[in-house]
Amino acid sequence: MTENGVFGRILAHGGRTDPYPLYAELRTTPVTPLEDGSYVVSTYREIVALLHDPRVSSDRRNLPETFAGRETGVAGRSPAFIALDPPHHDRLRRLTMRHFGPPGTPGLVEGMRPELTAIVTGLIDALADRTRADIVETVAYPFPVTVICRLLGVPYEDEPRFHAWSTEIVETIGPGEDDMAERQRRRERAASALSEYLGGLADARRRAPGDDLISGLLTHDDAEGGMSVAEVVSTATLLLIAGHETTVNLIAGGMLTLLRHPEVLERLRRDPGLVIGTVEELLRYEPPVHFPATRVALDDITVGDVTIPRGAPIVLALAAGNRDPDHVRAPERFDPCREANEHLGFGGGVHYCFGAPLARLEAQIALGELARRLRGPRLVADPPPYRPSAALRGPRRLLVDFDGVNPAR
Amino acid sequence: MPGKGESVRVVVDLTRCQGYGQCVFMAPEVFSMSGREALAYDPDPPDAQREHVLRAAAACPVQALHVDRVSAPDPDRVPDPPSPDGDGFRRTGRVVIVGASLAGMRAATVLRREGFAGPIILVGDERGEPYDRPPLSKQVLTGQVRAHNTALPRLPDLDAEWVRGTAATGLDLGRRCVRLANGRDVEFDRLLIATGTRARPWPDAAEAALDGVFTLRTAEDAFRLRRRLGEGTGRVLVIGAGFTGSEIASVCRELGRPVTVAERGPAPLVGALGGVIGAVAADLQRTHGVDLRCGVSVTALEGEAGRLCRARLSDGDTLPVEVAVAALGAVRNVEWLEGSGLAAGPWGVACDAGCRVFDINGLVTDDVFAAGDVARLPHPLYEYQFLTLEHWGSAVAQAEVAAHNMVSGQARRWPHLALPVFWSSQFGVDIKSVGVPTFADEVMITQGTAKEHRFVAVYGYRGRITAAVTFDQGMWLEFYQGLIEQAAPFPPRFRTVDRSGAAHPVPAEVPDRVLASHGATVVVTGHDPAERRAWLVHRSR
């Protein structure tokens, strides 16, 4: 089996259930060249180095024209900051951060805690007269989606429409089994539809601004300048998709992991403070993002004894790095009390997950409440069925039987 | 870990911090960003913030945030197996540490971690608990944090004898004892010298005694200066535009006070970063409303009724000023070592890369070690030149090396090969540096632009990279650190993100390397190799 073969098995649908032994195999070659000319990096130290390497671009317009996965761009649509480099990335991210975090609005996320707790409480209350539920459908999905909709000012009634587009975009992100160009076309169609939807919403907000993030992005203007409408739409698209497709995996994967480690679940019930370390360990042990958006080498980059040539796409296997025994002791053990838990759950460098603080808080609240309120929860099927994406990995359904639901506080 | 009811002690290793801001989200009442990347925090928040602080510590992507301890635990380090020359000392030795600040505290912690079971005696001349100094010129002066609330985390398990408020006044190597100001002699088997530095005073004693003339080094200094900055509105004069002076000027502007900075050199920070980046720092100061005067010295401070009211400058100007801060750099605390026979002078305490102190003849001793601001070590990457590194990170790194080597046999000793890293936050910009920027002949901006005060500058010496400095671009620093460690070629030719087309190397305008001997010199006497000896001579006493 060639190295390429290992990565192929990771991408194949069968690799979704438990890719970790394959990651271990992948790590024996820290930088693995693939047949299509791209390179997969799978060891912790090397991934961290590339995340902080200014010769690595996130702007896929830097791929050679011959490369099938190259993004050609669509007239009137500017890439979101996740697919841009400094200084453009820094500017857009900073303008967005004004409405989400420090230095402008440092208390915003922490201030959402009561509202987030109320949403989760309502979702779990709805399970009161049941003894079986799909945790994805009932909590892990609706919770972060409700939150991101409120934050952005997107009407929750429209959710079925953009859910389909978002799913389509996510399932074609990053490396996958089928033809890159075809995946690119599918993503393009869905992205256009979502942009059009959010463009319409932006028009409405510009006429009648609310206190939501899209209104803030549209109306804010100071010495540093504001955002164009196209930039607002691409930013909102990014946040909506990221808010939809990642935290759901963190919560669902987290619940799955806790149910597989009932002793931890029991400790969490007795000691709610343990949820902080639990979520950090989940971000290491079962991260929602296994492969972030593909990078591009702007120059020849030598990593160990391999030179990644200029123009080559680079895939960073974050989930493999998180279990690198050269970085973390007993990497295959799920240990919520791990000290100094440095992980790649949110990536690193300038593209470190924008929504990380919100995702952390959502996961802490959701898992804390599920642990506290579900009586005698147990998995119906282990492993559960997984969503198709290898990049954003998580259960499609998580059926859980339980004996009842404890009352809310 | 202290239980509920006690305050929380927070230390952020700002050498590691990359400005991700996650702690600010989690505990917005304890942490804040001033500008894009510069982190400020309350080192001693109320206990009600404990859970928020713990969330913040867990969320730090680089695990730079320590709660109730000084540094990250090292769970993966397995203690060395017993060795004939190191192990006996671990059980029965007696260690004295002179200097109970960051380096001394850190060394004591590492000694215990390394399994040292003998007595540790920590001697410090300040009365209070050991504290962290970087906040003193930043969030303490702005009033966000009280001067006496920057204490370092308590170390309840250290099991050390503390001798506080008592200076060491002498060292007798023959009798292996440290003489204290109260007359007590403290015996040691191994000694760590970590006495650090003090602020260089304003040279005219009568002028320095005027009410309104300050220096800034200790918590007490910060307390007094903060009180004066908070209550008045008149002009502040900062004498010297090194890092401390520049940070004080920044605070004055933040408080809305008029401030003049008088700097003898051609620009702020020139002594540390050279003239090219110094010019950017000058622009930063002027953009923020500082009356910056370069190439200018202060010729006199004048008072009325004992109170400072005027300053005369070498450019002929006379300024009415309410407060003057002499930020003239540091003086090393080595006087107590006079006559000890060690290579200790105004240049610091010379030691090898393992922190073992040289005697005055340049022979290495085996039982006396030095760490922190007072230590002067050779660095192989910089042609083995002896460097004093007055940086927070260096104090921690040297303390760890020194403590390890104190309890380890020759074969297991560590060299201090860490690259110097330091940071400063001023005028809303986070400045970081790795390597030795003054060890350079050229400099080149490789990312960002100087005009926006947001860039990476790379320094080169004879065709190799020797340092890098970032303004609000701290996340790239480690990459450049790697290039320095590999002696990568300068100028760098590779393509990067955020590269301005005009980037090219220019002369770094680094001042001549002047050794701060200040009147002390060494002479050699004797003819026979067995009797030749070096002597330290003080010429201007």
Side-chain angles (χ1 to χ4, degrees):
Chain A
M1 181 68 67
T2 64
E3 294 94 342
N4 208 347
V6 180
F7 195 63
R9 278 186 287 151
I10 291 168
L11 297 186
H13 193 69
R16 217 61 73 244
T17 305
D18 183 11
Y20 295 102
L22 297 171
Y23 290 148
E25 209 175 324
L26 196 59
R27 278 193 305 267
T28 59
T29 318
V31 182
T32 306
L34 302 182
E35 276 164 11
D36 69 353
S38 53
Y39 287 75
V40 183
V41 184
S42 55
T43 43
Y44 185 86
R45 197 184 292 259
E46 283 66 30
I47 293 171
V48 169
L50 290 173
L51 285 169
H52 292 83
D53 192 323
R55 299 168 299 180
V56 174
S57 168
S58 288
D59 188 339
R60 282 174 294 285
R61 293 173 298 186
N62 284 316
L63 284 169
E65 287 186 19
T66 51
F67 206 84
R70 183 181 150 89
E71 284 181 13
T72 44
V74 175
R77 251 201 19 243
S78 55
F81 59 74
I82 194 173
L84 288 172
D85 294 327
H88 311 296
H89 160 273
D90 295 11
R91 182 183 136 261
L92 290 177
R93 184 168 167 133
R94 194 163 60 239
L95 289 172
T96 312
M97 192 57 92
R98 280 178 182 164
H99 309 283
F100 185 68
T105 48
L108 182 123
V109 171
E110 183 55 32
M112 291 171 75
R113 183 185 290 275
E115 185 185 352
L116 300 190
T117 308
I119 296 171
V120 171
T121 300
L123 293 170
I124 299 179
D125 283 349
L127 306 178
D129 45 10
R130 297 167 59 170
T131 54
R132 171 174 289 191
D134 171 9
I135 296 298
V136 175
E137 186 199 358
T138 56
V139 180
Y141 182 80
F143 174 38
V145 169
T146 306
V147 174
I148 194 68
C149 286
R150 286 192 194 173
L151 197 67
L152 290 176
V154 174
Y156 193 76
E157 310 84 86
D158 293 344
E159 194 273 337
R161 298 172 66 195
F162 54 72
H163 184 179
W165 298 321
S166 171
T167 305
E168 182 75 2
I169 292 167
V170 160
E171 292 184 352
T172 52
I173 279 180
E177 280 178 280
D178 26 294
D179 172 48
M180 195 77 148
E182 168 55 22
R183 286 149 51 79
Q184 182 72 33
R185 279 190 292 277
R186 279 169 56 203
R187 180 157 80 229
E188 208 50 62
R189 276 195 302 272
S192 293
L194 184 54
S195 291
E196 201 173 312
Y197 168 80
L198 288 169
L201 194 74
D203 275 344
R205 290 287 177 273
R206 205 160 33 140
R207 287 192 299 271
D211 58 0
D212 54 85
L213 198 141
I214 290 179
S215 299
L217 294 178
L218 284 165
T219 53
H220 199 117
D221 196 8
D222 63 14
E224 265 193 303
M227 267 193 200
S228 70
V229 175
E231 287 169 340
V232 171
V233 169
S234 67
T235 303
T237 306
L238 167 66
L239 299 184
L240 188 67
I241 294 172
H244 252 74
E245 308 291 344
T246 52
T247 316
V248 52
N249 294 341
L250 180 58
I251 296 170
M255 198 58 197
L256 172 64
T257 305
L258 288 171
L259 290 167
R260 285 171 171 170
H261 296 83
E263 71 292 349
V264 177
L265 189 60
E266 183 52 39
R267 282 175 63 196
L268 190 55
R269 246 178 235 130
R270 292 195 310 266
D271 175 12
L274 193 66
V275 81
I276 301 170
T278 302
V279 169
E280 291 311 312
E281 178 68 343
L282 285 169
L283 286 160
R284 183 194 74 80
Y285 184 84
E286 281 283 17
V289 178
H290 281 222
F291 307 101
T294 300
R295 309 300 214 257
V296 187
L298 293 178
D299 212 318
D300 290 358
I301 298 173
T302 301
V303 181
D305 49 10
V306 178
T307 296
I308 302 173
R310 175 174 169 176
I314 303 173
V315 175
L316 301 173
L318 302 180
N322 272 346
R323 295 205 188 187
D324 182 346
D326 285 342
H327 167 65
V328 55
R329 204 198 314 208
E332 308 297 335
R333 194 177 70 216
F334 176 65
D335 176 7
C337 295
R338 209 175 270 283
E339 291 230 57
N341 194 349
E342 245 179 286
H343 57 72
L344 298 168
F346 289 124
V350 296
H351 289 283
Y352 185 84
C353 175
F354 181 88
L358 184 59
R360 278 196 166 96
L361 193 56
E362 289 174 341
Q364 288 169 3
I365 292 172
L367 294 172
E369 289 298 295
L370 284 168
R372 191 176 67 80
R373 297 190 61 193
L374 294 189
R375 282 204 301 272
R378 59 235 174 238
L379 286 169
V380 173
D382 192 3
Y386 275 83
R387 302 165 73 194
S389 173
L392 308 184
R393 173 177 170 269
R396 182 195 297 280
R397 281 187 307 277
L398 187 67
L399 279 181
V400 173
D401 280 342
F402 45 93
D403 304 327
V405 176
N406 292 324
R409 250 172 262 269
Chain B
M1 189 174 285
K4 288 201 187 302
E6 288 188 47
S7 67
V8 194
R9 294 275 172 90
V10 181
V11 176
V12 181
D13 180 349
L14 289 168
T15 307
R16 279 187 72 72
C17 171
Q18 294 180 6
Y20 285 100
Q22 300 301 300
C23 53
V24 186
F25 280 100
M26 298 293 151
E29 289 176 38
V30 177
F31 303 90
S32 63
M33 304 293 281
S34 63
R36 295 169 181 172
E37 287 185 18
L39 180 72
Y41 65 99
D42 180 352
D44 193 12
D47 193 52
Q49 290 290 327
R50 172 173 291 274
E51 184 168 337
H52 287 101
V53 169
L54 291 175
R55 282 178 202 277
C60 177
V62 292
Q63 290 295 299
L65 209 160
H66 311 309
V67 182
D68 297 327
R69 60 181 180 227
V70 183
S71 185
D74 197 355
D76 289 349
R77 231 187 79 67
V78 182
D80 287 332
S83 70
D85 47 349
D87 202 46
F89 181 77
R90 267 172 221 235
R91 286 195 306 270
T92 60
R94 179 180 165 86
V95 168
V96 172
I97 297 173
V98 182
S101 192
L102 182 65
M105 292 266 290
R106 183 70 197 136
T109 313
V110 174
L111 283 170
R112 291 298 185 222
R113 186 188 75 195
E114 297 261 346
F116 176 69
I120 297 177
I121 298 116
L122 268 157
V123 178
D125 62 351
E126 291 189 64
R127 280 192 191 287
E129 284 185 81
Y131 54 88
D132 206 22
R133 292 182 202 274
L136 298 182
S137 53
K138 306 175 186 79
Q139 58 266 46
V140 168
L141 288 191
T142 60
Q144 289 160 283
V145 170
R146 293 195 317 172
H148 295 289
N149 281 13
T150 78
L152 289 167
R154 297 180 194 88
L155 301 170
D157 305 327
L158 197 56
D159 187 23
E161 182 193 342
W162 290 79
V163 182
R164 286 199 185 124
T166 308
T169 55
L171 169 64
D172 186 335
L173 282 180
R175 289 173 48 228
R176 288 178 178 261
C177 72
V178 173
R179 166 66 55 91
L180 303 187
N182 61 11
R184 179 180 161 196
D185 283 345
V186 184
E187 292 181 1
F188 62 84
D189 294 316
R190 288 196 182 142
L191 171 69
L192 178 67
I193 298 170
T195 40
T197 64
R198 62 183 182 273
R200 183 178 298 286
W202 181 244
D204 183 304
E207 293 178 9
L210 288 170
D211 180 20
V213 179
F214 295 86
T215 55
L216 179 57
R217 173 74 190 171
T218 65
E220 188 55 33
D221 294 339
F223 174 76
R224 295 187 309 117
L225 179 56
R226 162 60 207 164
R227 199 171 48 188
R228 193 57 67 84
L229 290 180
E231 68 193 11
T233 55
R235 179 164 295 273
V236 178
L237 172 66
V238 177
I239 308 167
F243 281 104
T244 304
S246 298
E247 288 178 1
I248 295 167
S250 169
V251 168
C252 289
R253 292 309 302 142
E254 206 177 315
L255 297 173
R257 292 195 66 152
V259 57
T260 296
V261 173
E263 164 59 43
R264 293 169 77 155
L269 312 183
V270 165
L273 305 183
V276 177
I277 304 308
V280 183
D283 185 51
L284 192 58
Q285 297 213 357
R286 292 191 170 115
T287 306
H288 285 81
V290 174
D291 169 31
L292 173 67
R293 305 192 187 196
C294 298
V296 168
S297 51
V298 174
T299 53
L301 297 173
E302 297 176 355
E304 279 167 13
R307 186 157 188 148
L308 173 72
C309 58
R310 266 184 314 278
R312 293 190 187 279
L313 307 186
S314 63
D315 61 3
D317 215 352
T318 302
L319 282 178
V321 294
E322 203 170 276
V323 175
V325 189
L328 305 171
V331 182
R332 298 184 177 89
N333 292 321
V334 292
E335 290 78 1
W336 69 284
L337 295 169
E338 218 178 302
S340 67
L342 293 179
W347 52 79
V349 178
C351 44
D352 74 356
C355 298
R356 291 184 299 178
V357 174
F358 289 113
D359 76 6
I360 192 163
N361 301 301
L363 296 175
V364 76
T365 60
D366 216 31
D367 296 323
V368 183
F369 296 74
D373 289 0
V374 78
R376 183 173 185 83
L377 291 77
H379 203 301
L381 273 182
Y382 298 98
E383 299 181 343
Y384 292 92
Q385 288 192 21
F386 281 77
L387 306 171
T388 42
L389 306 168
E390 296 168 26
H391 312 319
W392 194 96
S394 304
V396 172
Q398 290 167 11
E400 290 178 0
V401 168
H404 170 85
N405 290 348
M406 286 174 98
V407 295
S408 301
Q410 176 68 32
R412 292 209 175 83
R413 286 194 172 146
W414 294 343
H416 173 261
L417 294 178
L419 280 182
V421 178
F422 69 86
W423 77 89
S424 168
S425 103
Q426 47 183 282
F427 305 103
V429 173
D430 189 48
I431 301 175
K432 290 191 121 182
S433 164
V434 61
V436 183
T438 51
F439 206 93
D441 45 34
E442 288 190 305
V443 64
M444 172 177 166
I445 296 208
T446 57
Q447 292 174 245
T449 63
K451 190 164 152 271
E452 293 173 71
H453 307 144
R454 188 192 64 82
F455 61 86
V456 180
V458 176
Y459 291 72
Y461 180 70
R462 297 190 181 173
R464 69 181 175 93
I465 297 175
T466 50
V469 169
T470 59
F471 275 42
D472 273 353
Q473 294 282 294
M475 282 186 195
W476 305 111
L477 203 66
E478 277 183 23
F479 169 75
Y480 291 95
Q481 177 170 336
L483 296 183
I484 298 166
E485 288 171 351
Q486 296 155 32
F490 182 92
R493 303 248 178 242
F494 46 78
R495 285 159 41 103
T496 70
V497 299
D498 208 2
R499 171 70 62 91
S500 145
H504 60 277
V506 297
E509 299 172 24
V510 169
D512 289 338
R513 296 174 65 77
V514 277
L515 196 63
S517 59
H518 299 289
T521 189
V522 171
V523 299
V524 174
T525 61
H527 297 285
D528 186 277
E531 61 185 32
R532 275 174 77 78
R533 290 287 181 271
W535 305 89
L536 184 65
V537 178
H538 292 276
R539 295 201 190 278
S540 58
R541 282 267 174 107

